[in-house]
Amino acid sequence: MVTRLIMVTNSIEETISFAALLNIITYTMNILILGSGGREHTFAWKIAQSPLCNSLFIAPGNAGTSLCGINVPISVNDFEAIKTFVIANEIELVVVGPEDPLVAGIHDFFLNDNYLKAIPVIGPKKDGAQLEGSKEFAKQFMVDNNIPTAAYASFTLDTLKEGLAYLDTQKTPIVLKADGLAAGKGVLICNEISEAKKELTEMLAGAKFGTASSKVVIEEFLDGIELSTFVLTDGATYKILPCAKDYKRIGDGDTGLNTGGMGAVSPVPFADESFMQKVEERIIIPTINGLRNAGINYKGFVFIGLMNVGGDPFVIEYNVRMGDPETEVVIPRIKTDLAALFLAVANGTLKDTSIETDDRTAVTVMLVSGGYPGDYAKGKIITGLDKTNGSLIFHAGTFNAKDADDIKTSGGRVIAVTSFGKTIAEAAEQSYKNAALIAYDGKYYRKDIGNDLM
Ligand code: AMP
Ligand code: GLY
């Protein structure tokens, strides 16, 4: 359309002034994404396609995000540096990827600053971020709003004795959760009460997870199959995004240590219409209403980790951001302009939007560093990225080496390979074909992503 109109102009001057006019009538924004993982590369990839996006910046980003926009070497927790950058670069929308800056109050920081307060931030304020920042807050919120979740009690160092006595009344397995953020490591599932007592003591008296475990939630074990559901809200209304299944353990067949996530599938076959109706009625609506009733004007993603227990959904956890690697399958399945959705969240007009999704199945396989989630080496040269074909390659722990053209590893989770297919098997096969072409010293990945759902 634009090209055709420009073709009928007669001179360079006319073309330029026409382009200038188009810029005035076509609203565009400078957008800043905070974060550096696969989730942020996926956001950057999607937002870069939006006609609403003028310049796209990612702080600090990774080698993948540098293909979609401009990386800025600023930490997500350095609010003052972010402020300086936002003002200097006329940023008009900030999308917060990870939970840390949200729990630390980046949205409040913007609202409390005269220069920043008009700039929308996608992600809740400190009050809403407590859903992830404090397990106890989340549990109390669920109890207050009749949202199905595991029975629980919480304890501090002062009530350690009561906590140990409480454990004597519980069945195993039993779940212990550090109240605060513990980089995904603060949840322990104990098969013996004696083990749970030792862990509770270490968490409360020995500060096993630092200040995050100065309070501990003890929770009933839910036996079922897990599912990640995602909601985008502008504080008044909400849109349900495609759901996904994450593969958290390091080893095939769900064995070994917990990780940030080794792969994901979307949609999830067992999350059919009748199950999702229960999720919406029993969990999503009470969550959105509960936030509003608590006076929390929440703008951003709510990630609800669910357990399907015999066909009934129970909340395992809330996160106040998108999941990773779930984002790598959920966002590619959203056909709607993500920047437009974010603008609607900012303006409170989400109810006037609709989300169109791709019916195909997406599967992502996460390539990780050898040794992850324990100790692993960094700085390994990654090759073969240019040989991949027919998949979306989202970078997580990668960086552009300054001294060479090389892309190197910089984290535990390195690259997510996402593919579409008519079936899970077809999508997984495509991801595995490309995963095999990417090489670096110590590369490891699970070989069974999606198998349990086929
Ligand atoms: P979280 O950090 O809360 O996501 O917990 C980490 C993992 O622990 C979850 O993904 C579940 O696999 C498991 N988990 C947490 N709470 C429970 C529970 N009450 N019952 C069973 N498994 C749980
Ligand atoms: N994949 C789980 C998470 O992002 O917390």
Side-chain angles (χ1 to χ4, degrees):
M1 169 81 165
V2 172
T3 330
R4 205 178 52 217
L5 283 172
I6 288 174
M7 270 162 45
V8 300
T9 59
N10 298 319
S11 65
I12 292 274
E13 289 74 19
E14 240 175 87
T15 306
I16 290 169
S17 64
F18 184 75
L21 181 68
L22 258 185
N23 256 341
I24 295 165
I25 55 176
T26 323
Y27 179 67
T28 63
M29 304 177 280
N30 291 342
I31 301 175
L32 172 65
I33 299 173
L34 298 180
S36 60
R39 168 182 50 214
E40 287 76 22
H41 185 188
T42 313
F43 281 160
W45 165 81
K46 181 73 176 162
I47 289 173
Q49 299 170 46
S50 169
L52 287 168
C53 181
N54 183 29
S55 294
L56 176 63
F57 301 93
I58 310 93
N62 59 35
T65 59
S66 71
L67 304 170
C68 313
I70 301 168
N71 285 353
V72 189
I74 297 176
S75 150
V76 298
N77 293 312
D78 189 346
F79 296 176
E80 287 297 339
I82 291 169
K83 171 179 172 177
T84 305
F85 181 84
V86 162
I87 293 169
N89 293 278
E90 300 179 347
I91 299 295
E92 290 161 281
L93 179 73
V94 178
V95 181
V96 186
E99 64 277 16
D100 270 25
L102 294 168
V103 173
I106 190 160
H107 197 154
D108 313 69
F109 176 84
F110 270 65
L111 290 174
N112 292 330
D113 187 288
N114 276 336
Y115 293 103
L116 302 180
K117 65 183 173 199
I119 300 167
V121 175
I122 304 302
K125 292 185 274 100
K126 228 172 173 169
D127 53 5
Q130 286 300 293
L131 278 183
E132 180 165 1
S134 167
K135 301 272 188 205
E136 200 203 14
F137 175 91
K139 295 299 287 190
Q140 191 60 50
F141 176 85
M142 288 184 257
V143 170
D144 291 347
N145 292 286
N146 279 316
I147 294 168
T149 187
Y152 84 105
S154 60
F155 301 93
T156 61
L157 182 56
D158 289 342
T159 54
L160 174 57
K161 235 170 78 186
E162 289 86 336
L164 295 171
Y166 176 81
L167 281 172
D168 277 325
T169 68
Q170 297 300 300
K171 291 198 300 256
T172 54
I174 184 89
V175 185
L176 266 51
K177 297 186 173 183
D179 179 62
L181 294 184
K185 298 195 173 78
V187 175
L188 303 172
I189 297 173
C190 301
N191 290 315
E192 304 290 340
I193 292 298
S194 57
E195 179 197 350
K197 285 182 169 176
K198 182 172 150 276
E199 294 291 357
L200 181 68
T201 308
E202 278 178 20
M203 286 165 93
L204 291 175
K208 179 166 181 155
F209 300 106
T211 51
S213 64
S214 58
K215 199 182 275 174
V216 173
V217 168
I218 301 178
E219 193 174 282
E220 165 200 19
F221 180 80
L222 295 172
D223 198 4
I225 175 159
E226 276 184 74
L227 170 74
S228 304
T229 55
F230 303 97
V231 179
L232 184 64
T233 179
D234 61 1
T237 184
Y238 63 88
K239 298 285 173 191
I240 302 175
L241 308 181
C243 58
K245 184 172 188 290
D246 177 19
Y247 291 78
K248 287 205 163 89
R249 302 293 194 96
I250 187 73
D252 285 4
D254 284 331
T255 53
L257 292 174
N258 247 328
T259 70
M262 296 295 293
V265 173
S266 176
V268 182
F270 69 79
D272 55 16
E273 206 172 309
S274 99
F275 182 79
M276 287 311 292
Q277 197 176 338
K278 290 180 194 169
V279 173
E280 184 167 12
E281 282 167 10
R282 298 177 195 176
I283 293 167
I284 294 174
I285 294 174
T287 297
I288 300 299
N289 288 344
L291 287 167
R292 212 181 21 239
N293 293 341
I296 296 173
N297 184 17
Y298 192 112
K299 287 178 181 289
F301 293 103
V302 191
F303 164 174
I304 312 176
L306 297 177
M307 192 72 87
N308 174 356
V309 184
D312 289 317
F314 288 79
V315 177
I316 292 187
E317 62 165 347
Y318 286 109
N319 295 306
V320 298
R321 51 171 173 84
M322 279 299 288
D324 195 350
E326 290 96 326
T327 303
E328 289 91 307
V329 288
V330 169
I331 295 295
R333 290 193 58 229
I334 295 178
K335 291 182 176 171
T336 313
D337 182 340
L338 191 60
L341 287 173
F342 287 157
L343 205 54
V345 167
N347 294 336
T349 55
L350 198 60
K351 68 172 186 331
D352 303 328
T353 67
S354 61
I355 296 187
E356 205 193 333
T357 55
D358 192 321
D359 287 338
R360 290 175 300 169
T361 290
V363 171
T364 198
V365 174
M366 187 63 83
L367 313 186
V368 305
S369 297
Y372 172 80
D375 292 338
Y376 54 85
K378 294 181 187 175
K380 302 293 180 191
I381 295 175
I382 304 169
T383 59
L385 291 167
D386 52 341
K387 295 199 192 97
T388 61
N389 186 358
S391 293
L392 297 164
I393 307 295
F394 294 121
H395 291 227
T398 73
F399 72 104
N400 292 306
K402 284 201 177 63
D403 49 346
D405 291 336
D406 295 331
I407 293 176
K408 294 184 178 176
T409 68
S410 66
R413 295 191 291 171
V414 177
I415 301 261
V417 182
T418 298
S419 311
F420 283 112
K422 282 200 285 293
T423 60
I424 294 174
E426 196 179 288
E429 190 190 337
Q430 178 67 13
S431 282
Y432 279 120
K433 217 165 69 192
N434 282 316
L437 298 174
I438 300 169
Y440 54 88
D441 199 17
K443 180 181 81 168
Y444 169 81
Y445 54 101
R446 271 181 68 162
K447 309 294 185 299
D448 66 339
I449 302 302
N451 283 4
D452 59 327
L453 299 175
M454 289 181 200

